[in-house]
Amino acid sequence: MDPDRWSDLYDVRDFEVPVLLEAPVVHGFKRGSKELGIPTANLDMEQLGMKGEQFEPGIYFGWSVLHDKIYQAVVSVGWNPFYKNEIKTIEAYLMSELDDFYGETIKILICGYLRQEANFSSLEDLISCIHSDINLTKDKLLQDKHISYIDMSKWPNV
């Protein structure tokens, strides 16, 4: 994979203060694991309320907590232009092999912004860019500013 292939899409920024989202995991469109090979946890937008609705569309990086375990996460907020969604979603890819956890509450600490949503000419291009998002997220979360959040006691309250 060419690491510079998608570089023009990125406008990486760290947040001054991370944003914490917490909601149950709901069923999404079932594309993450089946079509993309990248399963995601879809947050309940109704539970998030205005916090979810007001969150700017884009691709973000951060940490997630599920069953008291912490995971690195890439978070997509918006309408997924490739699929032309009509419903805004917030979904996170947790960097680990996990069984289904629908209905479980997940916490996501969003530490920064990677890029805007984008449309792609093929499914292969979309998957390639998501893998770039994953690699960039891993790099960002290893930085001193973000690695400290591996300690959940440093997370802000909801």
Side-chain angles (χ1 to χ4, degrees):
M1 174 173 46
D2 178 4
D4 296 322
R5 180 170 182 200
W6 306 110
S7 61
D8 60 323
L9 291 179
Y10 291 100
D11 180 22
V12 180
R13 299 185 300 268
D14 294 334
F15 289 169
E16 190 81 23
V17 177
V19 176
L20 182 61
L21 301 176
E22 182 175 2
V25 176
V26 296
H27 289 274
F29 297 103
K30 307 268 190 214
R31 295 183 292 237
S33 46
K34 289 187 172 76
E35 237 177 271
L36 303 173
I38 305 165
T40 59
N42 290 265
L43 278 67
D44 185 334
M45 293 297 286
E46 189 173 311
Q47 178 84 22
L48 289 172
M50 290 304 293
K51 195 170 192 178
E53 286 303 319
Q54 292 175 347
F55 212 90
E56 288 294 319
I59 310 303
Y60 298 85
F61 65 91
W63 297 98
S64 58
V65 173
L66 179 68
H67 301 137
D68 296 321
K69 288 187 72 179
I70 192 160
Y71 304 94
Q72 295 175 323
V74 176
V75 182
S76 172
V77 178
W79 290 269
N80 302 312
F82 182 79
Y83 291 105
K84 299 174 180 47
N85 290 0
E86 294 182 12
I87 299 169
K88 183 178 183 183
T89 60
I90 297 179
E91 54 187 304
Y93 169 64
L94 281 55
M95 294 187 206
S96 185
E97 299 246 349
L98 300 166
D99 292 327
D100 286 343
F101 46 90
Y102 296 112
E104 300 291 332
T105 297
I106 189 170
K107 293 180 182 180
I108 300 176
L109 186 69
I110 300 177
C111 297
Y113 176 85
L114 294 176
R115 64 176 176 84
Q116 64 186 5
E117 286 190 291
N119 201 348
F120 297 91
S121 58
S122 69
L123 184 62
E124 293 75 22
D125 283 349
L126 171 60
I127 292 169
S128 172
C129 190
I130 292 171
H131 282 285
S132 291
D133 299 338
I134 292 167
N135 291 332
L136 188 52
T137 292
K138 289 176 181 177
D139 291 345
K140 290 298 292 178
L141 292 177
L142 287 175
Q143 295 175 356
D144 288 345
K145 178 176 185 168
H146 304 299
I147 195 85
S148 64
Y149 291 116
I150 206 159
D151 176 355
M152 290 172 29
S153 70
K154 297 187 177 177
W155 285 34
N157 293 327
V158 174

